Structure formats: C-alpha cells, structure tokens
Amino acid sequence: MTAFPVLKGTEVEFAVENVLEWRKWPEADVSEIVLNEHSPAVVFYATDYIERKEAYLNSEKLHVKLAFFAYTGAAEELKQETAKLPDGKDVVIDLNEAEILLPASVSVQGAFIDDYVMTVHVLELEEVETPCGDGYVMLLSNEPIGKLRAFALKENLKGEIEKGTSLKLAGWLEGGL
C-alpha cells in the first residue's frame, strides 16, 4: 500500500544494510547491496513496507522485485573519447556502450536517497496509456544491477526510443518483496 505508482519489477537478490523509516509515514527506503559480480550499494523505496515491515527489518538477504521510474531521459548520442594508454596506444571510450548507475545527488539538486542517474540499453519496449499520459514500460540492461523494469512518460523522454537504444535516465528506484 502506497500513494506512489508501483511497477512490477525484476527480481534482484540483496543483502540488507539498513532500513530507513520515514518520520511521519509508515514507509521506508531500504539500503542494500546487490548480490551479483558488481555488488553495487543501492537504496530503493519499499512499496510494500507497511505490509512487509518485519521481513525488511529481520532479514539478512531478500529477493526484491526492483523497478525504476524515470523523471526524465534522453536517447541522444553520448560522448566518445579517445585516450592514450601508458604504452602509447589509443583506446576509445564509448559511453554509448557503458551501463552506469550513479546516485542522482551527483548531478541533480534536491535529489533524494533513492534517486539515480543511469545509462542503460533497452531490451524490451511496450507503449502504454496511463491517466498521466502515454508512456513506455521497458526492460533495461544496467550492468551494475542487471535487468531492470522501468517506466517513463513519453513527454519526459527526448529522442527516438526503440529496442537496443542507449538511454540516459534520471529517476527513482522502488521495489517490493
């Protein structure tokens, strides 16, 4: 039960670090480590906290259905840089191939702890109609997390969105058990 929109996410295994309860509401953000080869630390809004509080507070590991709601995003070409290796050879750094996950506080003023900026690749794309407008439900690839279900309103995305597109997104992570 939450007043925020909820999207059925993709299952990710986590080690629980901390449960950050909200002061005035029976809600929480959960700080966890993704149990994969990259082990990123993430914080997500627990959409089912009011019903599953004991599981969040008393578990060392959880399988969470994680999702991402994009506030804004773009499918524009990202930078490609050429750098020199110590041996003098050139190496091309192509950010269109990168899948990055960063706390939004590095570039978005007023960002909350569950807000992130990420670069991803679109694996699946479905157009949907919502009371707020037309949007996309997407399955994304983000190397630090893995596969991630996401939603964005069309009006908040720039560029041509299709399967295989590289996107830069800003939004929040949410999840439930």
Side-chain angles (χ1 to χ4, degrees), residues 82-92:
T82 302
K84 293 265 186 221
L85 294 174
D87 64 5
K89 292 181 182 174
D90 286 342
V91 64
V92 176

Side-chain angles (χ1 to χ4, degrees), residues 143-154:
E143 187 71 24
I145 294 177
K147 292 181 180 174
L148 185 64
R149 183 83 44 209
F151 172 80
L153 288 171
K154 285 182 179 181

Side-chain angles (χ1 to χ4, degrees), residues 100-116:
I100 301 167
L101 175 70
L102 297 171
S105 58
V106 300
S107 63
V108 179
Q109 187 176 18
F112 196 60
I113 59 173
D114 55 17
D115 291 337
Y116 289 86

Side-chain angles (χ1 to χ4, degrees), residues 122-127 136-139 161-163:
V122 178
L123 301 174
E124 296 175 9
L125 181 70
E126 177 185 354
E127 293 187 34
Y136 296 109
V137 172
M138 301 170 278
L139 181 63
I161 313 298
E162 56 190 34
K163 187 176 175 180

Side-chain angles (χ1 to χ4, degrees), residues 13 32-42 143-145:
E13 187 178 16
E32 302 187 327
I33 303 292
V34 177
L35 295 178
N36 67 16
E37 65 209 66
H38 306 291
S39 303
V42 299
E143 187 71 24
I145 294 177

